Amino acid sequence: QSPAELRSDSLDRLFASLHRASDPRQAKTIEQNIWKLWMSSDSPTAELLLQQATRAMDEGAPEQSLRILNRLIGAYPDFAEAWNKRATVRYMRKDFEGSVADCRETLARNPHHFGAASGQGLCHMELGGFREAAVCFRRALEIHPHLDAVRYNLALAEAQGGGSGYLH
């Protein structure tokens, strides 16, 4: 199996475990392992650039992070986590439309990316799109049922007219 196939198999097992998890600590550990796999790539260069962009973001240098991520996406357009990190930087810069676009790109490459689904919901909330936000939050919870903050945000979106309280 290729490294990508091994990651995919590991992710399948982790998501199955996540849905079976009954303990919040266990769910958090599984989530952390999912994020580690999402941050990995077949390219050491792509991983290094993602680490640099994340470090710049964490150090309060969103412009530097954005430059690195633009380069990374240009060179490795199929690396879903690069799109997700750029969505995060754009959200931090209050570029909500740009962040939504990057969340959509992330989800096109990784339909199980609960972070991108939730992030897209947050952007829609900022833009006043409560119905769209609720759809995104429901999607995130279908993928990862242990996200209390997302459940809270779903309730907020619904209270603002974002639809009923059911999960599909």
Side-chain angles (χ1 to χ4, degrees):
Q1 281 188 316
S2 72
E5 290 169 331
L6 291 171
R7 275 194 308 277
S8 179
D9 289 349
S10 293
L11 284 166
D12 288 346
R13 284 191 300 278
L14 286 167
F15 276 105
S17 296
L18 186 62
H19 281 269
R20 288 190 310 268
S22 57
D23 177 84
R25 287 187 311 249
Q26 179 188 24
K28 188 66 176 167
T29 299
I30 294 166
E31 178 186 329
Q32 290 168 345
N33 288 324
I34 289 169
W35 280 105
K36 285 178 192 169
L37 288 171
W38 283 348
M39 297 283 290
S40 64
S41 167
D42 292 345
S43 165
T45 302
E47 285 185 18
L48 179 62
L49 288 169
L50 186 65
Q51 290 168 6
Q52 290 172 350
T54 302
R55 190 174 317 111
M57 188 175 28
D58 292 344
E59 292 172 356
E63 296 303 322
Q64 179 185 357
S65 181
L66 192 59
R67 282 192 301 275
I68 296 167
L69 290 165
N70 287 339
R71 263 192 6 244
L72 176 55
I73 289 168
Y76 302 94
D78 293 330
F79 192 10
E81 195 53 33
W83 291 95
N84 183 58
K85 289 294 186 243
R86 191 170 77 174
T88 302
V89 172
R90 286 179 163 177
Y91 180 86
M92 291 167 56
R93 297 176 71 231
K94 301 194 182 314
D95 175 7
F96 303 119
E97 291 90 354
S99 185
V100 166
D102 284 348
C103 287
R104 287 182 175 140
E105 292 290 342
T106 303
L107 289 162
R109 289 158 178 79
N110 178 358
H112 299 294
H113 204 298
F114 50 83
S118 175
Q120 185 177 345
L122 291 172
C123 291
H124 286 303
M125 292 272 288
E126 292 288 344
L127 295 167
F130 300 107
R131 188 169 307 276
E132 296 91 344
V135 168
C136 293
F137 294 141
R138 286 187 198 106
R139 181 177 183 180
L141 288 168
E142 287 169 359
I143 299 165
H144 186 336
H146 303 280
L147 297 171
D148 292 336
V150 174
R151 197 168 304 283
Y152 175 80
N153 288 331
L154 173 59
L156 289 178
E158 288 173 347
Q160 294 296 318
S164 66
Y166 69 92
L167 289 175
H168 301 139

